[in-house]
Amino acid sequence: MDNNNQTLATNELATLPLGHNWYQKVASNFEIIQSYLNKLDTDEPEANNLKNKFDNMSDKLNIYETNIQAIVNILSDYDVPIAIVDGKVVEIKEGD
């Protein structure tokens, strides 16, 4: 069922007289909601794929940051005036 163009009957439900077929509108709301819940269930592999990509990027970022820190440490050992400040490699003045 494709409910992409349907909207939920929300505000109008409160104003319907009791004799009206309000239950059909409520049932329609549940059908629309169910179609989206079904879509969420089928998109689980895609969500897992995105999580794996994020984890991979996070791992690469950690490796990058570790490598930058190692480079700064090595250069500092040779008295190169640099440091990491607020996540950025900066040149420092003598005596800082």
Side-chain angles (χ1 to χ4, degrees):
M1 173 188 291
D2 183 21
N3 291 315
N4 291 337
N5 295 327
Q6 295 181 351
T7 59
L8 297 177
T10 54
N11 293 339
E12 64 185 271
L13 288 177
T15 61
L16 293 176
L18 291 178
H20 194 272
N21 294 334
W22 61 270
Y23 55 89
Q24 290 176 341
K25 290 194 180 268
V26 172
S28 174
N29 283 352
F30 286 109
E31 289 174 6
I32 294 168
I33 292 168
Q34 184 63 52
S35 71
Y36 286 100
L37 290 175
N38 292 343
K39 182 165 176 25
L40 287 175
D41 290 341
T42 60
D43 286 347
E44 186 174 335
E46 184 177 337
N48 286 335
N49 187 27
L50 290 173
K51 182 187 179 308
N52 290 338
K53 285 181 179 180
F54 175 79
D55 290 344
N56 188 29
M57 288 180 356
S58 181
D59 290 343
K60 287 181 180 180
L61 179 60
N62 288 335
I63 292 169
Y64 171 79
E65 289 174 347
T66 301
N67 289 342
I68 292 296
Q69 184 64 55
I71 291 168
V72 168
N73 291 345
I74 291 168
L75 293 173
S76 294
D77 289 344
Y78 288 98
D79 295 326
V80 176
I82 63 170
I84 297 177
V85 178
D86 295 328
K88 298 177 183 174
V89 177
V90 296
E91 184 177 1
I92 58 174
K93 296 178 183 174
E94 292 295 326
D96 284 347

